[in-house]
Amino acid sequence: MFRYRFVLLVLLIGLLAVVFPLITVAQTPDENTLIIAQTVDVGALDPASVNSRAEANIFFHVFGTLFEIGDDGVLRPYLASEYVVSEDGTEWTFTLNEGLTCHDGEALTAEDVAYSFERAADPANAFTGNTAGFALPAIGYQGMRVDGDLQVTVLTDRYQTPNLRLALISEVYIHCKDSYSALSLEEAGQKPIGSGPYRFVEWVPDDHITLEAVEGYTLRPTNFKTQIWRVIPEASTRVAELIAGNVDVIANVPPDQIEAVNNSGVATVQAVAGTRRIYVGFQFGENFKDAPGYDALQNTDVRVALQYAVDVPTICKTLLGTECERASSMVNPPNNNPNLEPYPFDPAKAEELLDAAGYPRNADGVRFETVLMGPRGRYLNDANVVQAIAQYLTDVGVKTTVDIRDWADYRTLTGPKEIGPMFFLGTGGGTWDALYDMADLSSPDAGTNYTNWQNEEWFTLWNSLADIRDPEQEREIINQMLEVFYNDPPWLLLYFQPDFYGVSNRLDWQARRDEWIVIYNATLK
Amino acid sequence: MPCPYLWNTYRMMLRYITRRLLQSLLVILGVTLLTFLTLHLAGDPTYLYVSERASQEEIEATRKKLGFDQPLPVQYVNFLSGLARGDLGMSIRSRKPALDLVLERLPATLELTIFAMIISTTIAIPIGIISATKRGTGLDGGIMLLAMFGQSIPSFWLGIMLLLSVGLQLKLLPISGHVAVLDPMLKGDISTGLTNLPDALRYLIMPGVTIGLFSLSRNARLVRSSMLEVLSQDYVTTARSKGLSERVVIMKHAFRNALIPVVTMLGLEFGFLLSGVVVTETVFSWPGVGRLVTNAITQRDIPVVQASVVLFSFLFITLNLLVDLIYAQLDPRIRLE
């Protein structure tokens, strides 16, 4: 007996001898270091291949753009000081600031700007993502022309409303020709050579990226010498690190942990009404004509009736952890039609309209049956919101079954529009222009017209915008289009997704609405 | 002239290893085929690589760029021909060779897995033995009760509880993150690896315990039951009747024989721990293969998933082959037939 106790004692002492020296209180970031925690890592660091918001956030600090989209939606000069548009609106000539350099010391000139666009558009590079896959095609990109050391022209195939075009051009990250010409695609994806306020130092995959302020950078502030972008996928871990004071900013605080953060005395949660539009789409595609509820949902009166059936403010309060105003259109405020009021929650009116539309309750209390598809893990509390909506619809007699898939599977269905007869979805938006938000429905066969909505009046008005140069006239048509959308809704309008950022109390920083984490302007309190 | 007995043993062993390797090849092929089909049948991965606003032409162009426009059998044959040349393709997301990506993350996962195995075996064996020798006592009951809890606690819950209590409230250990030891050592920088070791251990303890607790509990129960069985054998009674001390009886006569099922379990254990790291790596932000594979599956980065599957299958098969060989050495009654 004594021997065993002796062995146990030795083991215990041995264990303590190993563990005791390891125990230290966790280190908090110093006054020169800012630590941000994102949920996913970057896939690569090539400025021409932006495939996620996590990547864009890093690029935004490492690379400059010609203009910058501010947190208020205003486009401000950045690497370029000004621009001139040709009379027909197809040529945009930018003048660069003098004395720009890339982080390896190479002078940044018009030739480099042209190269940045051309490299992204070059099919041989096979880039995927936002720049090559969306921004350049969306402006009708045709090529670049170097007009001088500091003058460069973006050539496009059509007129486009100026704010929208400038915003899209401002999504192209500028890098230097000589630096990148010398790199293979693999190398370019590992060690970016930037043109922005912070230089790349280190990337430990799935762990962190370290950036260091570029000395003497005058175009944007660099209030912290070092930025460390950590990857912390688990929400509870992110929150714990924030409360422990080990990180300064975290993205995607789960609604059920907001109180814990706010009560910590170390950090607070900033809730912002994001620009991402969350909606339930009604599928008009013929592929679904045999699906339950398809016929009923083709009826405009039914779709309007269903708008009254869902209590969106309560969904926001209970499932998203914040108050919200229901969307009255597909356009973000302040660019939406001010005359449109959000549909109120009025189940009695919903029932009345469904009766009038020719869908009375049967003996079982059911008007018709349908299916609501939705993703899990893509949008804030998405699967629960889908179930709540299905219950609201069932309550007014539209017996709704939910079909929830993991996001990766769901995305492979949304792409070819194989979702319906109703589906839950979100789509990114902007604060700078209504047309950016409306471009989801730019044509009946647009990739983002997931509903296959065919409203003739809408698309005729959309096409008429191409000839409009007068902003007031454009605004009038936009308002008219949003009324068409409101009265013949292809979407069950829900909300603009709230975003929750946990921010250390030592920091003075305001989160943006458009999901970007732009933090070069953060300061210590 | 070699000894005929040894020559015969070597020949048998060689034949056994060759047969097992051939079987392994079939297993790897089967696993890759299943993975390939599962990832592709779940939908067209192209849509995960285009902007939500991409036009049909852009989607088609991307599909072609990524090679998803080819018929599935052609894509699989291309993969197999690459595999035969040791080329497992390029990651779609990061544009790096898929195998390199997996190998880059493997050291972090091995650190975690090895640490968990050390915890689970070094603690499980003594407490299993103590429990067996104290059978029926309060100590035995207490150990088995704890072992039952250890096997019942889900690792994601345990991980979060540990980080909230030990990391956040008590501030004894870092909440999440990783300091590399194996990676610099494998790259020839031994001194950095050793310098990092104390820090690395701080980061390892919580995820190591999280992942190792289940194995520890299971192994403790296994050692106990194995010891109990051996302790009831005639040769143990004979040893005791010869007047040998209890320590000699247990450690020399009983323990070696009780170890056989434990060694068998260790081979499987490695595979179990590897599959268990996915959740633990996510909870503790550990940059290992588990998270790489999870992300690759989510993003349908098929070359990375395939490379991980091939590598893990190979590791698992090799370890089990080694275990079988050790098993034969531990118990001379077992022949490799």
Side-chain angles (χ1 to χ4, degrees), chain A residues 22 24 43 55 125-128 133 137 185 190 205-206 230 237 241 408-409 411-412 415 436 440 448 450, chain B residues 42 44 47-49 51-53 58 65 93-96 105 168 171 176 198 202 283 285 287 291 298 300:
Chain A
L22 304 175
T24 52
E55 287 169 9
N125 291 328
F127 287 126
T128 57
L185 285 175
Q190 302 304 308
D206 267 341
R230 288 189 58 190
T237 315
E241 290 281 24
D409 290 341
R411 178 72 186 113
T412 62
Y436 180 82
D440 277 346
T448 41
Y450 297 110
Chain B
D44 183 353
Y47 292 102
L48 294 161
Y49 292 95
S51 158
E52 284 176 0
R53 292 187 167 185
E58 287 148 18
K65 279 179 202 172
R93 277 301 302 281
S94 66
R95 291 166 168 256
K96 282 181 77 175
R105 311 292 175 92
L168 180 60
K171 297 189 189 308
S176 65
R202 291 173 55 220
V283 169
S285 309
R291 272 172 66 198
T298 309
R300 295 288 194 277

Side-chain angles (χ1 to χ4, degrees), chain B residues 81-215:
Chain B
S81 84
L83 181 62
R85 285 179 276 115
D87 174 9
L88 290 166
M90 300 286 279
S91 158
I92 301 170
R93 277 301 302 281
S94 66
R95 291 166 168 256
K96 282 181 77 175
L99 188 60
D100 288 3
L101 273 179
V102 181
L103 290 173
E104 264 174 23
R105 311 292 175 92
L106 192 60
T109 297
L110 286 179
E111 283 165 10
L112 192 52
T113 314
I114 291 167
F115 186 76
M117 277 187 89
I118 290 171
I119 290 178
S120 67
T121 45
T122 53
I123 299 178
I125 290 174
I127 64 172
I129 293 172
I130 291 169
S131 192
T133 53
K134 299 286 172 189
R135 182 185 189 187
T137 63
L139 184 64
D140 176 34
I143 290 173
M144 285 306 105
L145 188 70
L146 286 176
M148 195 179 72
F149 275 121
Q151 279 189 283
S152 315
I153 296 173
S155 62
F156 68 88
W157 183 85
L158 176 66
I160 289 173
M161 288 303 114
L162 277 176
L163 73 84
L164 290 179
S165 54
V166 182
L168 180 60
Q169 295 300 327
L170 301 173
K171 297 189 189 308
L172 292 177
L173 292 168
I175 292 169
S176 65
H178 167 249
V179 173
V181 173
L182 265 183
D183 188 50
M185 284 183 165
L186 291 172
K187 287 173 180 162
D189 190 354
I190 307 283
S191 68
T192 303
L194 290 175
T195 313
N196 287 351
L197 189 60
D199 251 357
L201 281 171
R202 291 173 55 220
Y203 282 91
L204 260 170
I205 292 173
M206 286 201 290
V209 168
T210 303
I211 198 174
L213 187 66
F214 180 90
S215 305

